[in-house]
Amino acid sequence: MNEHSFISSRCSVPRLVVAGVRGGAGKTIFTLGLIRHLTNQGHRAAVFKKGPDYIDARWLGCAGRGECTNLDPYLMSSETILSLFAHRAAGCDLAVIEGNRGLYDGVDPEGSCST
């Protein structure tokens, strides 16, 4: 079973990744507005931040009136990330993941660590 099959079998919540072509593109401002709008409309969104960014994660959690979970492929195993995602997204209407810097920043030959 590949990673996508694994997470799909554990969590079927729709997902949205907000990414940009570079840092400073406005991802956080856009994501904050999106999450607050969804929350104000009565949706329950699971909120995630890619990478070890704790300032943005705190703001994102406040916008969603809850918590934001960091998903960091550099510091966490794939299994840990998938487990965190499935656990935090359970019972939610959708999951919103804000990327880190540019879409491909941090990419290696295996395609890991980038948004």
Side-chain angles (χ1 to χ4, degrees):
M1 177 181 292
N2 68 30
E3 289 179 11
H4 295 289
S5 299
F6 175 77
I7 196 166
S8 293
S9 69
R10 293 186 62 189
C11 178
S12 61
V13 66
R15 301 144 200 160
L16 173 68
V17 174
V18 178
V21 295
R22 61 177 172 74
K27 294 179 301 296
T28 300
I29 294 296
F30 176 81
T31 308
L32 289 168
L34 174 66
I35 292 168
R36 179 50 61 98
H37 174 73
L38 292 167
T39 301
N40 286 346
Q41 295 297 310
H43 297 284
R44 185 163 175 230
V47 183
F48 300 92
K49 174 67 181 177
K50 186 270 179 184
D53 186 329
Y54 297 98
I55 295 171
D56 287 359
R58 180 70 175 153
W59 290 345
L60 294 166
C62 289
R65 296 187 182 103
E67 293 182 34
C68 176
T69 301
N70 290 83
L71 303 174
D72 189 346
Y74 184 77
L75 298 173
M76 300 172 178
S77 68
S78 294
E79 183 177 288
T80 298
I81 290 171
L82 294 170
S83 179
L84 278 170
F85 183 90
H87 175 74
R88 294 281 293 127
C92 291
D93 300 321
L94 74 153
V96 178
I97 306 160
E98 184 191 339
N100 177 267
R101 306 228 17 98
L103 181 60
Y104 297 108
D105 287 353
V107 73
D108 61 13
E110 289 79 39
S112 66
C113 295
S114 71
T115 295

